Amino acid sequence: MHGIVKRFPGVIANAGVDFDLLPGEVHALLGENGAGKTTLMNVLYGLYRPDAGEIWLRGRRVAFSSPREAIGQGLGMVHQHFMLVKPFTVAENIVLGQRSPREPLAHDMRQTHRYLRSLSGQYGLAIDPAAPVWTLSVGEQQRVEILKALYRGAEVLILDEPTAVLTPQEVDDLLAILRRLAGEGKAIVFISHKLGEVLGVSDRITVLRDGKVVETLPAQAADEHGLARRMVGREVLLRVSKGPAQPGEVRLAVQNLSAVNDRGLPALRGVSLEVRTGEILGIAGVAGNGQTELEEVITGLRRATSGTVTICGHTATNRSPTAIGALGLAHIPSDRYAMGMLRYFTIAENLVLQRVGQAPFTQRGWLRKDIIRQEAQRLTAAFDVRTPSVENPARTLSGGNAQKMILARELARQPKVLLAAQPTRGLDVSAIEYVHRTLIAQRDSGVAILLISTELDEILALSDRIAVMYEGQIVGVMDGPGADIHQIGLMMAGSKRSSL
Amino acid sequence: MDWSLILNWGFLIALATAGITLAVPVLLAALGEIVTERAGVLNLGLDGVMVAGGVAGFMAAFYLQNGPLAGISQWLGLAVGVLAGMLMGLILAVLTITLRADQVVAGVTLVVLGHGVGNYLYRQNIGTLTARTNGLPPLALPGLNRIPVLGEILFNKDGTVYLTAFLVFLVWFLLFRTTWGLKIRAVGENPAASDTSGINVNLTRYAATLIGTALAGLGGAVLTVVQLRMFREGIMGGRGWIALALVIFARWRPGLALAGALMFGLADAIQYRVQALSQIERGVGTIPYEFLLMLPYILTILVLLYRAGRGDAPEALGRPYVKGSD
């Protein structure tokens, strides 16, 4: 790819990017969110047309106008969100959109299954072609995507943030599969912002920042700090420093809590935990093991079927979110846009959302816009929310600034307990650093923090104690400093328990 | 009421025979809607599509039965009904697939349009309530019609009944045994995944919408051209809405739609017959006929209550596909 330029209204996603890929190599594309990694690959894959630049494939200039053409030329892409039809079997998903040899009759499934089994075996993917996709784990679904690309004759495989959803063991398996594929002569693009994985698997690394290539370098010549500096453009602390915890009395106690999910199936099965003032308890686990339900029950958004939640000595079980908030709980929701803010309200309105009915924001039944505005300006300045005006709608904020706005609102209430769920999901390295610093500062000032995160790095960086959640239960608790990542990984996968 | 009038062989056979015939228009519409909804398009305008098919089919058959094409006028009428249905389908497809209008609003618009235009055209061109088509004679299947009881119930029907039975199989085969069916179901479940697999999502949805409304138009025309042999306002009796409920009852499967339609056909047939008997009897304790008229609709409500809150619907049902969003 040569001199690729892609503009979107108001932004230049790619500003003259050069990128090359050799057969048999894993080439990592590293950059922060919004650096243009995914855009570049979507241009290659025919999803977007470049505004300028050339793409050459095996010595020929190409211009794909659709993914179909790209697939026909031997490209395969594994998207961040899997492109699978859940009720269909693996085999049906793989042949979807392909010409059947007996068109218009569908493929002979017995024959297809046999072929897919051998293809899956050849690359060590271990996938049963007859299984319906909804029965597969996330890691298996990802391997179905890889198998799909291989079935379609992919020589070039693009993986967009493939490890974001995996357990550490699944990540290891995936990286091994990628090395094996490269060994067979496939060319692989590995898009990521996780430095460790990139260094572990790639032959070469290209760092993107603000739509431009910072550098392309061999993996042997790179180290984490150098890559992070190139990625962000300044020195960053990969792990914020923190002193030892000074835990005090119990602020949040959860006893034997059970609840069901939206489908009426058990999601929490007797969860018990305690968070003390001045400590961060991190809940590790693969997404979908009850973390969302735990978050919702504690904040009063979902009914507990049994068990209790106690905040600062007061019963909070199945009370309204307002009542629970009044007990001293602040909440940074996992779904920032759906639960954390009103996107079409102004930033100022969002910032006083819970307090708007109280003085001084409401006086004798009237809203005091001027006082709300002053408070909003104070908070945006204190929490570094970057916006031209607090009267702009909240949806105009970037991910990092939106999260800072939510932090500002929640911390302005001077909470006793802070529930932070996925607090850095989708944020870039600088914003993550900010959120982490803030959480630790809150801990040091005596707030009890329950951190729920599927990012194991985040759990390890912040937690004073770590609880691992699997299928609605806490399967192990350990001290944060010096925790064994391998052991946590095994617990996350459900294959190991430790006594509590 | 004297129940011996009902509980005898002759009556039960007549009931079953009528039930099967009455099931046909609703079943055709439900089959069509299954195809449409499997592709992710909700056609709430089914009743309007049936009226359009019914009025166009009736008028074509009525005008042609005195000309040189008299011998096949009924079949031509049915074909016109199919085309009228597809025209309605095209309107829906342009609105909801291309222009991405809200499918509920577009569907309701289609109902109003079908009823309004249908009644207007009939009044302008024919007007009289005595206009009749010739209908179709029963077509006994030689040999099979001599099987006791079953022969009379199943194999002494007009051609549209056999055609409908074949269409049940055909729709099942299309959806579950062909690549087209795989594409239709895929775009209804996950259009983004289908798109990246190289399937033209909107084209597939257009095709499924047109197939669906063709069948609904046929259903309407069967009712007016073959069964009642007349057209008047309100003749569809909400059959389009019943068909929509049937699709949910049938969990989007053609075979179950057949079973459900037969149930409704029987309820309808019972309703007609008990009503007729009540008229003869006029005795104490007869059921007011208004209650009997409600029977199919009450059944619809019960079916919907039974199925309420169970999710088998295609995942992307009712949602327009916008490239690059998921």
Side-chain angles (χ1 to χ4, degrees), chain A residues 68 83-85 87 103-106, chain B residues 173 177-179 189-190 193 198:
Chain A
R68 194 185 193 116
M83 294 294 179
L84 296 172
V85 183
E103 196 79 25
L105 291 188
Chain B
F173 191 83
R177 285 292 178 272
T178 66
T179 49
E189 288 290 344
N190 190 340

Side-chain angles (χ1 to χ4, degrees), chain A residues 68 71 79 81 83-85 87-88 92 95-97 100 103-106 148 152, chain B residues 173 177-180 182-183 185-186 189-190 192-199 326:
Chain A
R68 194 185 193 116
I71 294 168
H79 295 264
H81 307 286
M83 294 294 179
L84 296 172
V85 183
F88 284 17
E92 281 175 329
V95 300
L96 188 62
S100 157
E103 196 79 25
L105 291 188
K148 181 160 89 179
R152 294 172 185 195
Chain B
F173 191 83
R177 285 292 178 272
T178 66
T179 49
W180 302 332
L182 196 67
K183 286 181 196 173
R185 289 185 290 132
E189 288 290 344
N190 190 340
S194 311
D195 193 15
T196 51
S197 298
I199 295 170
D326 52 306

Side-chain angles (χ1 to χ4, degrees), chain A residues 442-453:
Chain A
Q442 288 294 314
R443 179 201 75 160
D444 291 342
S445 70
V447 175
I449 299 181
L450 179 62
L451 169 71
I452 299 177
S453 177

